[in-house]
Amino acid sequence: MEVAENTIFYKAIGSEMDVFIHANKLKLPLLLKGPTGSGKSRFVEHMAHRINTNLITVSCHEETSATDLIGRFIIKGAETIWIDGPLTIAVKNGYILYLDEIAEARPDVIVAIHALTDHRRELFIDKLGETIKAAPNFQLVASFNPGYQKGFKELKPSTRQRFIALSFDYPAAKIETEIVSTESECSQEIAQKLVAIGNKIRNLTELGLAETVSTRLLVDAAKLIQDGLPKRLAVHIAVVEPLTDEPDTIQALKDLCDLMI
Ligand code: ADP
């Protein structure tokens, strides 16, 4: 296989790269499960680049519908013309389509991808009354945040059954330190301290935070420090403030971080 020079940095945490290469070769739909900011999107970008395939990413939200993915008629002057949506483009051209946060999308999105996730590998475009076969290289990848706390949407078991699944989590301290320092170009010492703060807060389960400190936030804090913002302030705004709006919790977390940075 041709391996393009990869400029998208991704630090492997386990055997996810091997899994992806096999899944892509066999064109198996792949679900990436894991919390926000744990590297899922970066991983897909890196792998698409590595295997030299085009990638289309759709960030799903509550309003994302099958029409958004498949396509729609638009009026142009006196004409009505059909515009392919990202799913149709990927299916026709053999790209990877990455549906980020698939559980957020409207239920008709799941219906639309149904026949693409089994042996049929076809897409039905109801507005055109057409069924198209996926190009050989088309692959569907989706992400999902299992969010054990309330507020996250579930993915139906019947949908999950259609994907092989890879779990993502925040990496071990040594690997996360490497990610933070590479991404921000900060010193090893700062990266280590930030990762220690991240892990400390992740273990404070009694705070009942809806989401915890992601690798992304640690990278942001490191970038701000690297850019000259005082360390404590950087940690307050990149790590503490995004986590909660509860004044007492904010203060407690700031005090904790001040001792660690
Ligand atoms: P997700 O898609 O899981 O929400 P992202 O892929 O957007 O998360 O990751 C957020 C940021 O965290 C990335 O932009 C990158 O800076 C960093 N990151 C997290 N994990 C890794 C990793 N394994 N290798 C390189 N960067 C990573």
Side-chain angles (χ1 to χ4, degrees), residues 9-11 35-42 179 183 215-216 219:
F9 168 67
Y10 177 77
K11 171 83 186 159
T36 319
S38 57
K40 301 183 294 299
S41 306
R42 176 64 69 91
I179 295 170
E183 284 285 283
T215 306
R216 177 190 291 124
V219 169

Side-chain angles (χ1 to χ4, degrees), residues 145-153 205 208-212:
N145 182 344
Y148 303 105
Q149 290 88 359
K150 51 185 182 306
F152 288 96
K153 290 200 185 147
T205 44
L209 300 169
E211 291 242 15
T212 191

Side-chain angles (χ1 to χ4, degrees), residues 17 35 42 64 77 90 104-105 136 167 172 189 208 219:
M17 287 195 182
R42 176 64 69 91
T64 307
E104 296 292 325
S167 269
E189 187 204 345
V219 169

Side-chain angles (χ1 to χ4, degrees), residues 5-233:
E5 197 203 331
N6 209 331
T7 48
I8 301 169
F9 168 67
Y10 177 77
K11 171 83 186 159
I13 295 172
S15 47
E16 69 271 31
M17 287 195 182
D18 272 352
V19 170
F20 192 99
I21 287 172
H22 285 284
N24 179 267
K25 190 169 148 218
L26 299 169
K27 302 297 172 275
L28 298 174
L30 175 64
L31 182 67
L32 311 179
K33 305 188 288 179
T36 319
S38 57
K40 301 183 294 299
S41 306
R42 176 64 69 91
F43 171 64
V44 180
E45 284 163 27
H46 175 93
M47 294 310 294
H49 202 268
R50 176 174 280 234
I51 59 180
N52 223 346
T53 299
N54 283 311
L55 168 71
I56 300 183
T57 297
V58 177
S59 300
C60 300
H61 52 80
E62 307 169 325
E63 299 297 323
T64 307
S65 66
T67 301
D68 296 329
L69 295 188
I70 295 174
R72 49 170 48 93
F73 284 107
I74 61 159
I75 297 174
K76 205 171 180 198
E79 273 183 301
T80 306
I81 55 168
W82 171 259
I83 305 279
D84 282 342
L87 175 62
T88 309
I89 294 173
V91 165
K92 284 183 179 169
N93 295 289
Y95 298 163
I96 294 175
L97 182 79
Y98 177 47
L99 295 176
D100 195 7
E101 299 289 355
I102 189 174
E104 296 292 325
R106 301 225 307 235
D108 64 353
V109 165
I110 306 294
V111 177
I113 61 171
H114 209 268
L116 283 167
T117 54
D118 56 35
H119 63 281
R120 292 171 286 176
R121 283 178 56 85
E122 58 190 31
L123 173 67
F124 177 58
I125 306 182
D126 58 346
K127 293 197 175 84
L128 298 178
E130 262 177 37
T131 298
I132 52 172
K133 279 268 172 215
N137 285 334
F138 169 75
Q139 189 194 9
L140 191 62
V141 181
S143 79
F144 166 59
N145 182 344
Y148 303 105
Q149 290 88 359
K150 51 185 182 306
F152 288 96
K153 290 200 185 147
E154 261 305 325
L155 203 53
K156 281 208 286 193
S158 55
T159 307
R160 303 175 66 128
Q161 287 288 330
R162 300 192 153 266
F163 292 83
I164 60 165
L166 253 178
S167 269
F168 279 68
D169 205 348
Y170 305 121
K174 196 163 169 267
I175 294 179
E176 196 167 34
T177 302
E178 188 183 331
I179 295 170
V180 171
S181 62
T182 308
E183 284 285 283
S184 66
E185 297 178 350
C186 74
S187 69
Q188 188 73 4
E189 187 204 345
I190 292 291
Q192 271 167 353
K193 285 184 176 172
L194 289 170
V195 169
I197 287 175
N199 283 320
K200 182 86 186 171
I201 297 176
R202 286 169 193 158
N203 288 326
L204 295 175
T205 44
E206 65 273 20
L207 292 181
L209 300 169
E211 291 242 15
T212 191
V213 189
S214 63
T215 306
R216 177 190 291 124
L217 290 179
L218 297 180
V219 169
D220 290 346
K223 282 181 177 167
L224 290 168
I225 293 171
Q226 196 55 15
D227 205 46
L229 204 67
K231 286 185 275 189
R232 288 185 175 180
L233 180 57

